[in-house]
């Protein structure tokens, strides 16, 4: 809601159009999310348990989505436009955080596929909550669901393929 002394069109004095305004809000959202992920990493030791470290990132990610749902949906609701370098860079910085953590935790096994799986897990849980697929719950119950999902994901070991 626009304050009474501010025109609803005032933002367009600073942005060319709605797309530019949305992009600027998304960039700020990515920066805020990155700061929350950095804070989550600071709360665990460098040699921390991988489940603890990755769960902390997942909890911070989902918590951000639940606290700022409109910004979260704006950040991820549009495909990346290579012409919007600020938004693309902010998004890439988010991906780099997880990639760096995985490289530190699993120097011999970190891969883009593992990063995609873990990001997909947190992102999916965030949207399951936002879309009402999980009932509203206290933050500690949401965090426990994330920890359990990360632990289950990291516990799975794929059986070697058999040649017939």
């Amino acid at each position: 809601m626009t304050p009474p002394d501010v025109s609803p069109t005032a933002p367009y004095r600073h942005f060319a159009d709605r797309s530019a305004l949305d992009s600027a809000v998304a960039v700020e959202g990515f920066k805020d999310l990155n700061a929350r992920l950095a804070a989550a990493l600071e709360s665990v030791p460098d040699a921390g348990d991988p489940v603890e470290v990755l769960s902390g990132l997942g909890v911070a990610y989902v918590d951000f989505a639940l606290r700022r749902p409109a910004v979260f949906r704006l950040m991820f609701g549009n495909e990346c436009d290579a012409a919007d370098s600020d938004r693309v860079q902010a998004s890439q910085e988010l991906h780099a955080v997880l990639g760096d953590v995985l490289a530190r935790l699993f120097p011999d096994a970190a891969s883009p596929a593992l990063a995609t799986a873990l990001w997909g897990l947190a992102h999916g849980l965030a949207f399951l909550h936002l879309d009402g697929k999980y009932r509203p719950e206290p933050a500690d119950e949401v965090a426990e669901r994330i920890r359990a999902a990360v632990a289950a994901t990291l516990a799975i070991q794929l059986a070697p393929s058999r040649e017939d």
Side-chain angles (χ1 to χ4, degrees):
M1 184 168 161
T2 306
D5 57 338
V6 176
S7 163
T9 60
Y12 296 104
R13 292 184 188 149
H14 305 281
F15 299 97
D17 55 23
R18 174 67 185 249
S19 178
L21 174 60
D22 286 353
S23 183
V25 171
V27 167
E28 289 305 311
F30 279 118
K31 288 178 183 177
D32 187 21
L33 179 53
N34 274 325
R36 290 176 191 228
L37 296 177
L41 288 172
E42 289 175 7
S43 69
V44 293
D46 278 345
D49 172 50
V51 171
E52 183 182 344
V53 173
L54 295 169
S55 293
L57 289 175
V59 168
Y61 189 92
V62 173
D63 182 66
F64 176 87
L66 295 178
R67 290 179 187 273
R68 301 190 60 200
V71 172
F72 188 80
R73 287 183 189 278
L74 182 66
M75 290 163 58
F76 295 105
N78 300 318
E79 73 179 65
C80 286
D81 177 1
D84 186 352
S85 62
D86 291 340
R87 191 171 188 166
V88 170
Q89 182 178 347
S91 175
Q92 289 172 343
E93 289 170 5
L94 180 66
H95 295 286
V97 169
L98 182 56
D100 292 347
V101 169
L102 290 173
R104 182 172 45 90
L105 292 173
F106 306 108
D108 298 327
S111 70
L114 181 58
T116 297
L118 291 167
W119 178 41
L121 174 73
H123 195 74
L125 285 169
F127 271 103
L128 286 170
H129 280 278
L130 289 176
D131 293 341
K133 304 306 183 225
Y134 284 117
R135 69 190 193 303
E137 301 167 314
D140 60 332
E141 290 181 30
V142 173
E144 185 51 40
R145 175 177 288 121
I146 295 163
R147 284 187 198 93
V150 169
T153 300
L154 293 179
I156 294 174
Q157 294 183 3
L158 297 176
S161 62
R162 291 187 273 170
E163 294 182 9
D164 295 328

